[in-house]
Amino acid sequence: MTERSTRLFVPPTDRPQAPLQTIAPPPALSRKADLLLATAAIDHSGRIPARRLLRALAWNPGDPTSTQLRGDVITLRLDPKSPRRIDSRHHVFVPLGLRDLTGIRTADHIALLAVPQEQVLLICPARVLRSLMADHLALEDDAVVSQS
């Protein structure tokens, strides 16, 4: 008895490859924009309570939001095409992939910065704030030394 090999899958060769989609970077924030600050702990499902800041942005439960990574900061904006929504408790959702990329873990305290003029909510891991403050304080220390 002789066995013949049978092809189980033959990839199509006549279809052209779809072009890669690019994501437009979010617009830069104005240096004169107001920043509203809050801190919160992220829960095991990636939800963050943000009632006060959502009110300042005039965002409501049920509004669709999308997230993007910008450097080490997660940006959250309203997006009518997104399936993710602000929940009834005024919590916003951060996907696991973005939490992993930024090092955010369950119960971590993070900084939330609302920029009402830009209609954006920034989610900053504590290590980003530590780094910014360390750089800022180092610059101040340099300025004090040079003034003496």
Side-chain angles (χ1 to χ4, degrees), residues 41-137:
I42 191 164
D43 72 11
H44 68 281
S45 65
R47 297 229 169 249
I48 306 167
R51 182 182 302 265
R52 188 172 58 92
L53 296 182
L54 293 176
R55 276 197 199 132
L57 291 164
W59 295 1
N60 299 301
D63 285 347
T65 60
S66 64
T67 51
Q68 266 189 329
L69 186 61
R70 184 175 186 162
D72 290 328
V73 175
I74 298 168
T75 62
L76 191 121
R77 295 177 185 275
L78 292 180
D79 180 0
K81 297 177 185 173
S82 176
R84 293 185 183 96
R85 307 214 174 258
I86 299 169
D87 72 16
S88 61
R89 299 171 300 160
H90 295 86
H91 289 194
V92 295
F93 175 72
V94 178
L96 179 61
L98 289 178
R99 286 181 271 150
D100 285 345
L101 286 170
T102 54
I104 296 173
R105 301 288 175 252
T106 299
D108 280 359
H109 280 79
I110 54 173
L112 302 167
L113 298 160
V115 188
Q117 295 92 331
E118 307 288 338
Q119 283 295 289
V120 65
L121 182 67
L122 305 173
I123 301 168
C124 302
R127 66 177 177 74
V128 171
L129 293 178
R130 277 193 299 272
S131 175
L132 289 172
M133 291 308 297
D135 292 347
H136 178 74
L137 293 173

